[in-house]
Amino acid sequence: MYSDLILALYNNPPHFGPLREKTATHTMNNPSCGDVLTVDMNIDAEHGKVIDMTCYGESWAITRAAAALLADHIIGKKTEQIAQMNVETMYELIGSKIHPGRVKRLLLPLENVKYI
């Protein structure tokens, strides 16, 4: 049902767990499936650049995989670049389209990051 990439990232996610040095944190949930995801970020305010990002919580495979891929993608990017990301960005990161009923799971990490 899920790609090998999604399953691998779900079972052994990088960037998982609380961040020691953080400048921002935010938690969101997806009430339709029960996902709860917290994102911690360390942002260089002077340069508007993401230094580090982690995520943690209870989530389905797509949410956890999307969060790991998003962290890899945005570390080192400026916050203006992150503001331009959308569902297509997440499809590119995950490597495929997913079932329409699971798009909220895919977008939860990005929505969380954009809130920060």
Side-chain angles (χ1 to χ4, degrees), residues 10 16 33-37 56-65 67 108:
Y10 175 72
F16 191 80
C33 70
D35 282 357
V36 178
L37 186 72
Y56 50 97
E58 296 296 322
S59 62
W60 290 89
I62 291 173
T63 302
R64 192 170 295 184
L108 186 61

Side-chain angles (χ1 to χ4, degrees), residues 75-112:
I75 291 172
K77 291 215 179 344
K78 293 193 171 257
T79 53
E80 296 87 23
Q81 293 171 288
I82 297 166
Q84 301 302 314
M85 294 178 187
N86 57 29
V87 67
E88 293 304 320
T89 305
M90 296 307 294
Y91 282 139
E92 288 173 20
L93 292 177
I94 209 87
S96 64
K97 298 281 185 181
I98 61 168
H99 186 277
R102 295 188 173 106
V103 172
K104 285 184 180 183
R105 293 178 190 166
L106 176 70
L107 292 177
L108 186 61
L110 181 60
E111 290 171 356
N112 218 334

